[in-house]
Amino acid sequence: MAERRTRTSRAGLWVFLAGSAAIAAACVWARARLGVADIVGESMEPFLNSGDRVLFRRGKSTIRRGDVIVLRSPVPGSHDPIIIKRVAAVQGDAVSAEMGHGVASVPADHLVVLGDNGRSSLDSRQFGPVSTEYLIGKTIRRMRRA
């Protein structure tokens, strides 16, 4: 009887260990592929408000006009090292002189990014098209503050 109980206990232990390993692997995968960013400021109002958070997928997935992306600020010494903007134009798109800073179309591997609240946004209107090297990821879900 004692031998049977020991076999059952070992089987339960292996199931527990395998389940724990699977959960740990899922957490490592999620941490490497996903991120959460806090919204600070008014540049994306009314879509995103200060205090909101966004869940984003890390990496350079397919970026289209209208996507909201997370990127490192292209402005040296910026007080906001990470910015969240909407993609207004992708490589090859024609752009106005105001947004393109002298270029007629968006160069290869660049994006034109704008805040939804133009009066309160530091974006491509000030710094021109942004290299995709600054891209951190693409938002996949907006999370309202509690």
Side-chain angles (χ1 to χ4, degrees):
M1 183 109 136
E3 184 179 324
R4 185 176 209 189
R5 197 176 288 151
T6 302
R7 245 186 266 154
T8 305
S9 297
R10 283 186 190 152
L13 177 63
W14 282 110
V15 168
F16 172 77
L17 291 174
S20 297
I23 290 170
C27 289
V28 168
W29 176 87
R31 180 76 175 135
R33 297 289 301 151
L34 302 174
V36 175
D38 295 315
I39 307 302
V40 178
E42 304 169 346
S43 72
M44 287 301 292
E45 287 181 353
F47 180 65
L48 297 169
N49 298 296
S50 196
D52 288 349
R53 303 177 101 193
V54 291
L55 178 66
F56 66 92
R57 183 178 301 116
R58 296 179 194 276
K60 295 181 181 180
S61 60
T62 302
I63 302 296
R64 297 183 180 97
R65 278 185 269 10
D67 287 344
V68 177
I69 60 172
V70 179
L71 58 156
R72 292 187 328 275
S73 176
V75 179
S78 173
H79 69 296
D80 292 325
I82 294 176
I83 60 175
I84 297 165
K85 303 293 177 192
R86 188 176 303 278
V87 176
V90 296
Q91 73 178 29
D93 286 351
V95 292
S96 68
E98 174 187 283
M99 284 193 290
H101 282 253
V103 296
S105 64
V106 179
D109 299 321
H110 282 72
L111 304 166
V112 171
V113 296
L114 301 175
D116 287 356
N117 183 359
R119 293 172 307 190
S120 186
S121 181
L122 178 62
D123 53 35
S124 287
R125 289 174 280 228
Q126 288 81 33
F127 48 70
V130 179
S131 170
T132 54
E133 291 300 314
Y134 289 97
L135 181 65
I136 296 172
K138 177 176 162 179
T139 64
I140 55 176
R141 184 172 185 83
R142 174 175 66 171
M143 301 184 301
R144 290 281 183 198
R145 56 186 152 195

